[in-house]
Amino acid sequence: MMFSAKMSHYGMFLLNLVLLALVLPRCLGFTLDGSAGSYAKFPGWEPCLNGTLNFEFQTDRPNALLFYFDSGQKKYLELKLVGGIAKLKVNFGKGLVILSAGSNLNDNAWHKVEIIRNNLDTTLMVDSIEFRRKSLGVDFDSENVTEDRFLFMGGLPEEYDRELSKLSLPSVLFEPKFRGSIRNVFYSNCGALPERPEMIDSQGILGNEADLCEQGNPCLNSGSCLTTDHGLVCDCTRTEFQGERCEIEKIPSDATFLGAQYFSYELVSRGDPIVSNSDELQLDFRTKQVNGILFFTGDLKDYLNVAVRDGGIIVTINLGSGAYEAEVRPSHVRFDDGRWHHLVVRREARELTRDKGVCFISVEVDGVHRKSGSTTGQFTLLSSSLLYVGGSPNTATLVGSRVTQNFKGCMRKVRYKADTIDLDLTELAKTDHGLITVHGGVIFNKCQELVESHPITFTTPNSILTLPTWDVRERRGSIAFQFQTTESNGVIMFNPGPEGHTDFFAVEMLDGHLYMIVDLGSGSKKVKASRNPVSDGNPHEVYIDYQGPQGYITLDGQKESYYADGKDVDLSLSGIFYLGGISRNHDSTKLPHSMWAGMLRHGFVGCLQDLVINGNKVDLVATARAQRAQGIAEYCHRMEPQCASHPCMHRGKCLEGWNRFVCDCRSTGFNGDVCQIAATSLRFDGTQYVKVKFPEESSTEAEDISMRFRTMHPNGLLFMTTSDKTSDRMELYLEAGALELRVDVGSGTKELTVGSVLNDDRWHTVVIKRRAQTIELGIDAHRPVTDQLPGQETSLDSNVIYIGSLEPLTAADMGGRVQGLDFRSIKIGHMMLDDNSLGDYSGFIGSMQQFLFNKNAFFELAKIGDIENIVVTARFSTDDYVVRDPVTFKSASAFATLNQLQAYEDFSLSFQFKTTEEYGLLFYNSGRGQDFFAIEMSEGYLYYVYNMGDGSERIRANSKSVLNDNKWHEVKLLRPQTYKQLIRVDDNTPTVDNLQGAHAVNFNLEGHLYVGGVRKTMYHSLPKNIKSRHGFLGCLGSLDLNSYLPQLVKEADTIHESVVEGCKGPTTQCQSDSCSNHGRCVQQWNSYNCDCDMTSYVGTTCDEESTTYEFGPNGGMVILTHPPGKHPNAIRDNLALGFRTRSTDAVLVRINSGNYDDYLQLELVNGNVFVVYNMGTTDHPIGELFESVNDGKYHIVRFTRNGANSTIQVDNAMMQTKNPRGTQLEVFNDQAEVLIGGKRDADGNLFKPFEGTISGLVLNSMRILDLAKEGNSRITIKGDVRLVEEDNESRRKSQKNKKGNTIPDESEMQSTMGFRQTTPKLGVTDDIIFSGSGPGCHSDDEDDCTSVGSGTEDDIITPTIIIKTTPAPPTTTTKKPSWKTPCAGSECPRPRTEEVMSSTSNRGTSLDPKGGDGSNTALSPTGETSGGSVANNGGGTPVNIGLIIGIAAGVLVAILILIFALYKFRSRDEGTYKVDESQNFSYLESKKQQGNGALLGKGEETGKRGKKKDVKEWYV
């Protein structure tokens, strides 16, 4: 009945409306054209608890806003078409209620809508189909409806775009406009009779009902045709085109994100979120970043999250029933390739039953790569109250986020559709629409310029770039960049102000945190941007926004603001904008004192990229190239840890830097990159000091100070800073053996104390660190003490630093407060106190080193004189304790023992040593079974030899050169892991021993650790891999056994022989003349050795004759044959020998290969020395063309080959070199035999035999002639070859000087100095008719040379004077020479005339090829054979027939020789005539005249010279 009455009431009301419509037809309805600004404005509706609103509509659009009413208190009603279904959103203040009714309502027919409010029920009725739900909250009442609250139909005015705050549902602005007709709009306010509201305002209402679009749609590219009073219009808003007919393609706006930028909306504080059944996200992106968030929307529990992860796309959705993930990651495609990619994500929710539904998700990239799925559960609409594009304030904690980084790259066409709402987010952000907030200065339409990331790396703290001044004149400016480092300190950027201004801007890192400092002239503002350390090696995004007196810095999305106090609001900058640090030419003391990293001289080491200043990208790579900046690399990647190789020497602490290691040497006695340089030490006697005076007063808020000291005195000043202008000071001193620090920066004094008994004569390291009011004091490795300075002052003023003591004080030094104080007469302490009294600590007595004040090494600077205004009265010293507890092993049999080395698993051993010995055992520890541990020197290199039970291993420590160079070397042997051992010498690359796969990896040692050697009886029983056969000779120090630091001499269990404290030796050192004949001096510990291999001599100083073989005219060879299977393959050959000859063409040495064509040959060609060698490619000749050697003199040849390259030197001539071009073989394969004295022809016969003597032949350290002399089985002697050394030995035995010392036989001495001349170069004397026997005078004193006469007056014609000259070489006979071993004393008989007159021509006698009897015979000048001795020793016979015959024969021979000599003299060039040539190889000359009487004819035939052979073309 109530319903019938109600309908009757409505019927009467409608009847009245019909009658009114007949009178006023224009008020019954209206038609909206659906253009962008179309709407109809009506007064607000007051539904109360029983109001109604109804109307009719007609449209062909499935999606459109029908009406919207907003109460202004986040209470609203919105009715719209969604896919032809009417949806009503109602919020009366207690929550959103959504009602849906109808279907296919866009059929261009009339449909009636009625909304009924009945208490808490809200009913939506469409064409008699109703849907009812309860809606909580306070009803709209009249007093809460303000005058500017209206009901809009079809759309809202465009003015609301700028007044979003007036809307409770801001998204209503983006609903599609209604196009169609509306009629019969009635309100029932608070249950009153329905009445037609008056239209207040409108736009886009058509006066002509004719639809011009029915004749055809002229709009292109899916544009919508609209009929308006002004004619036909095309709506292109939802297309990618523009123009009157949507014919022009839009240029899409792109947005560039650099990691700290993003844009968003946040609807929680503005009104209700966007709630939708279906969503669609479309965007284009371009990036080279592996990970980064692209898009997020939702609330705290429901969300849609899209990101790039590992080069793929990952989508995460949660609608309350659990997260769903879809990932698109093709196997052959990556989306972080710097190219544009198109991404589409769709979600559609369908309600299956009440509160149950299904959600379908699809992901598509580039229209090719797809992934789809679904999830079921509780039916929930997606509520979009938050939306982020490109990033968020904290991506790592964002719900559903699978990445931690913001996006870096470009996006365009970012469109988000939620049901009927279509948001072009890129365009909204670009146009600063009120819905979207842009964070961090997103850069628009510069993607091509900005997207390419070209990073740089500052590899050293001194690497910098410079840019123009940052332009902030308009009180606007921005800087964006990304950095990456593992180092805690460094100035990243700095721009000073004009001269005389305090303005500046800086960004720096200190102690791992990022700071921005800015000063507008009224005091600096220091903003700490990081909450956690950023020296973690990860990329960090920074964005700085300057807006006059205020601004902010964003680090990885976290924003920190600043506001400058004072009246200065402009930042005035000028000069250079520094990147990566500050120029070394810039005085750090003049930097702003709030720039802590700058004052501490820290440059930035790490990566920098994506630098954008005021929206313009800076090409860092091009800038670095243009400035030719040093230490800047064009890449950014993180390397493996650098400290794993333990590069720091002398126990320096290794710190991981950015792709580098940093050695902290403060606690060592060394400095340098790897703590390799001995630090400068100063000794103080209590009155001495170091005074550093700054050019100007310095003011700092941060200090890093460290030093080392050693003393036996309990009191003393270590250092003190003073100021002329203020009472600020910092004092560090010893008092009663403890360390005390006193600091006063103007607001009170703070004292800190650490340590005790520090006067123990050991080195101690002090570290002081101050950051504003926080002060820290540490000693050695103990935990530092930290405290806070009192008051608000933070700056320490100083202009002088005193170290060790104070100079005699003056009024100026004390700031005018005291005069005439002499430090040496009183104890100077805490400067002047308020009562004018002084402290009671004294000057420092002891040593200091490593004094560093804000990275200024004042001791080193003072020593090299590289700093002004520094006074040093202390004494520089080279401290003996740089090497800790050194000892000297003075004997090869000396050693010491310690307790067993604890090295079962992990262990460390380090020590320092220096030696000149190539060999020696340093450490040895035996073990159970086969286990042992050893370190030894072998051939100048260090070897680690061990056995853990899995077989013996011998590892050579890597070093660039031999270690027996009498220099200190540091060795570290570490086992940081079970399966890895490292041994390292100095700063060389460590040798890594990988134990992976080993069955036994633990040492089972027992017994003592032997240091420096073992007992003599133990060497023969040591493991075979230990090569040492004696102990270590040299110095050993700084021994560290698993952090046990033994003092070897004091703590050793046993000391055998000479082990002494300190490093003493070597006492004898190599000098330039230590070795003769170009011998190489090899330094030993307390002596030296001479290496004579390349000299042809032997002896301790290379001054003794070596083994000599004479090769006769009949030809012969000495042959060395290598045993089968032991033929060496050599990449290097060294050959040296000495020889005498008059041969023109001959082969001295030939080396043949067994199975290859390789060979090496030393020969004479036209009297010149040549070597030709071939390793399988071609002949390589090398020779000396300017020195003829077939002159009968002694010559030395030195030849070396290294691969195909070679050198040759004859005597002291210039060394000749050969470096063949092209690809060459380098190995002499299969060396089978060495031929000396000739070579074989094709038939095996001797070819090109050598005639003369060869001495001291050494081939690759093998003395072949010595092996021949010893009768070695590998040596074969064939033909006319004899050993000469016996004659030399007998001669040396026979010749003694007055003191009984052996006088060397000059006739046999090998000398490259030539033979001594006893006549002037241009004159001729009677030397030429020498007719004596024996070698002549060997004494250095002329008085020892006597004339031995014949007893007649003919002596003047036939002299037998023994002169000081180099005699001829020995005879070629294999018999013993005719001279006898002289006797000594009065028993010696007087020499016989026959003996004295023996001609030197005897030496031309050769071995009879037919055979001889082997008797000791000598031929007389007449050819007769004389006996080996004279029968009458008494000399009693007055007349000796033999003597007379001998004299006559001697005279005849002398005349013949004189005639021959005169003939030769007249026929030779005067400048080249050799007066003593007849005494050298005279047997060769005699063959040109006549023989000795034996085998004369055969001798002449043998002595004939054939035709000169053609020289091979490689000699040309």
Side-chain angles (χ1 to χ4, degrees), residues 32 37-41 152-158 201-205:
L32 292 170
S38 62
Y39 66 92
K41 182 179 180 181
F152 295 93
M153 304 197 77
L156 271 71
E158 292 180 340
D201 192 12
S202 67
Q203 183 174 327
I205 293 181

Side-chain angles (χ1 to χ4, degrees), residues 464-467 622-630:
I464 63 169
L465 288 180
T466 58
L467 300 174
T623 302
R625 291 177 180 174
Q627 297 177 10
R628 297 182 179 178
Q630 299 295 319

Side-chain angles (χ1 to χ4, degrees), residues 252-256 258 286 340 409-410 443-452 612-617:
S253 297
D254 59 61
T256 301
L258 302 176
R286 177 184 181 188
W340 284 108
C410 297
I443 302 168
F444 294 96
N445 297 330
K446 288 189 177 181
C447 181
Q448 289 299 120
E449 302 174 21
L450 299 176
V451 74
E452 293 297 334
V612 180
I613 300 178
N614 294 346
N616 299 307
K617 185 170 183 180

